[in-house]
């Protein structure tokens, strides 16, 4: 398939993990084949980005969807390779998406309950498929990169937060103008978007000048059985309906750095819908990187459930004026 051409059809399986949807694209697209997943992501970004929009944006998709191209794994023992994408671009890792992919692979009869792994552009992620659509992922190493960073938020003023890596870059703050409830989602979206703009204007980045494209607010949980509640703004301005797997990983790294959570201690992260990811961590082995100055590197494990919501064929009619998605 050359640039700006679409396949006639694509097979997809849709699922949701704790309320956040994942669209697995099974075949019919041009799998870049060889090379690392990071190289293949770049190939898809530079040569086939129109396909991302056609699959995920309106009228076939929506801003909330996360897509997952299933590609050949790099490690022959991995169940699949995965390149995650959304309405704005591509994701290095996606926690809810990995749980969704695992349940999709089981739905297709490609895996059975037990231990597996999948390859992502930021590393291999081990996962265990439990009976009953439940999945535990062992994420890539997470760590806090900077502590108590002040950012001047347009229309709000200065606030403080930590910057952490959990498979994506996060700015995590406990400062928020309204409670973390669904009824305040529009205000929370505007506020977190303003934080993101404040970070960009001040050139505050993750390591190697990486853009911080996820903003995570935390508050005490609504349910006392849980540990914390969050609201996470994703790169394309949609908020995560789930407690966000990479966001929970980044949070665990900050808790570990502050000595507020010990290895193996359980953590229950409540998302904006009240759904839960169960997390814990172990300290990363020295060969997985030295300890950065703002806390140790950790290996987070995140458990959640996903459900299949559909199995269908996307059709790209050459006569359809919106076959490439609606204009941005
Ligand atoms: O679960 O890691 C996650 C995630 C990232 C963006 C949306 N969900």
């Amino acid at each position: 398939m050359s640039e700006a051409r679409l396949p006639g059809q694509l097979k997809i399986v849709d699922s949701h993990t704790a309320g956040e949807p994942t669209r697995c694209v099974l075949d019919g697209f041009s799998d870049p084949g060889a090379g690392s997943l990071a190289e293949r992501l770049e190939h898809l970004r530079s040569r086939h980005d129109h396909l991302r929009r056609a699959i995920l944006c309106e009228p076939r998709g929506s801003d909330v969807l996360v897509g997952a191209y299933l590609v050949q794994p790099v490690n022959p023992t991995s169940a699949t390779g995965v390149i995650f994408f959304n309405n704005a671009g591509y994701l290095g890792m996606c926690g809810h998406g990995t749980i969704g992919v695992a349940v999709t692979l089981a739905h297709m009869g490609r895996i059975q309950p037990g231990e597996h792994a999948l390859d992502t552009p930021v590393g291999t992620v081990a996962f265990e498929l439990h009976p009953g659509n439940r999945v535990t992922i062992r994420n890539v190493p997470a760590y806090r990169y900077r502590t108590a960073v002040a950012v001047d938020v347009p229309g709000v003023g200065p606030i403080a937060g930590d910057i952490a890596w959990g498979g994506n870059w996060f700015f995590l703050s406990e400062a928020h103008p309204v409670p973390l409830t669904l009824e305040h989602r529009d205000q929370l979206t505007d506020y977190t978007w303003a934080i993101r703009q404040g970070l960009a204007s001040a050139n505050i980045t993750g390591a190697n000048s990486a853009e911080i494209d996820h903003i995570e607010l935390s508050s005490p949980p609504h349910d006392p059985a849980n540990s914390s509640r969050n609201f996470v703004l994703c790169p394309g301005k949609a908020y995560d309906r789930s407690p966000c797997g990479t966001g929970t990983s980044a949070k665990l790294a900050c808790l570990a750095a502050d000595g507020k959570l010990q290895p193996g201690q359980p953590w229950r992260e409540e998302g904006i819908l009240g759904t839960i990811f169960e997390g814990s961590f172990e300290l990363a082995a020295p060969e997985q990187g030295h300890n950065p100055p703002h806390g140790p590197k950790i290996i987070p494990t995140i458990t959640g459930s996903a459900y299949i919501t559909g199995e269908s064929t996307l059709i790209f009619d050459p006569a359809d004026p919106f076959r490439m998605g609606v204009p941005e």
Side-chain angles (χ1 to χ4, degrees):
M1 193 176 64
S2 65
E3 288 171 52
R5 295 234 334 252
L6 289 172
Q9 300 190 338
L10 279 179
K11 293 265 181 246
I12 58 159
V13 175
D14 283 331
S15 62
H16 80 84
T17 307
E20 178 79 350
T22 305
R23 171 164 289 177
C24 279
V25 186
L26 308 183
D27 58 24
F29 63 97
S30 53
D31 179 347
S36 70
L37 269 279
E39 286 165 342
R40 289 191 251 165
L41 183 159
E42 276 315 314
H43 176 92
L44 286 165
R45 191 205 303 271
S46 60
R47 302 211 35 209
H48 302 284
D49 199 47
H50 60 285
L51 186 56
R52 173 186 64 77
R53 291 194 48 75
I55 293 168
L56 215 72
C57 297
E58 294 178 27
R60 282 176 205 80
S62 81
D63 287 356
V64 187
L65 271 175
V66 170
Y69 288 120
L70 301 194
V71 299
Q72 286 299 317
V74 176
N75 297 313
T77 54
S78 292
T80 187
V82 186
I83 295 172
F84 292 110
F85 55 103
N86 62 19
N87 58 333
Y90 299 82
L91 290 166
M93 219 320 257
C94 181
H96 93 268
T98 300
I99 295 171
V101 168
V103 168
T104 298
L105 293 175
H107 172 75
M108 295 190 303
R110 281 178 54 179
I111 60 169
Q112 301 297 321
E115 309 264 352
H116 304 277
L118 54 77
D119 299 333
T120 76
V122 296
T124 296
V125 175
F127 67 90
E128 182 172 359
L129 175 68
H130 310 285
N133 290 1
R134 216 162 156 68
V135 179
T136 299
I137 67 171
R138 189 178 154 84
N139 199 0
V140 295
Y143 64 99
R144 181 162 70 183
Y145 175 63
R146 288 179 65 190
T147 313
V149 176
V151 53
D152 198 14
V153 182
V156 174
I159 66 156
D162 290 350
I163 298 171
W165 169 257
N168 293 300
W169 282 105
F170 287 82
F171 181 82
L172 302 99
S173 179
E174 293 182 1
H176 44 83
V178 289
L180 305 189
T181 63
L182 204 52
E183 62 177 335
H184 291 110
R185 59 187 174 275
D186 291 344
Q187 284 152 282
L188 292 166
T189 298
D190 290 346
Y191 174 70
T192 44
W193 191 250
I195 295 177
R196 199 170 151 193
Q197 287 168 327
L199 291 167
S201 323
N203 203 21
I204 298 170
T205 66
N208 303 316
S209 307
E211 185 184 5
I212 301 168
D213 55 6
H214 291 74
I215 311 296
E216 178 168 347
L217 305 177
S218 293
S219 79
H222 287 189
D223 181 342
N226 300 330
S227 315
S228 168
R229 185 179 181 89
N230 72 25
F231 174 90
V232 175
L233 191 74
C234 298
K237 213 179 174 182
Y239 64 91
D240 196 332
R241 274 62 172 164
S242 82
C244 192
T246 51
T248 300
S249 300
K251 170 94 179 188
L252 292 175
C254 294
L255 291 164
D258 287 334
K260 291 181 175 165
L261 194 72
Q262 302 308 313
Q265 205 180 329
W267 183 265
R268 287 171 60 87
E269 188 73 27
E270 182 182 281
I272 196 72
L273 299 184
T275 51
I276 310 301
F277 281 164
E278 291 167 25
S280 68
F281 73 90
E282 60 192 66
L283 294 173
E287 60 270 21
Q288 286 173 302
H290 62 278
N291 286 352
H294 297 281
K297 277 199 173 172
I298 63 160
I299 305 293
T301 54
I302 307 287
T303 302
S305 300
Y307 299 90
I308 302 297
T309 54
E311 194 171 3
S312 57
T313 304
L314 298 182
I315 294 173
F316 303 95
D317 182 341
D320 177 358
F322 293 139
R323 66 190 175 283
M324 302 273 193
V326 293
E328 277 174 330

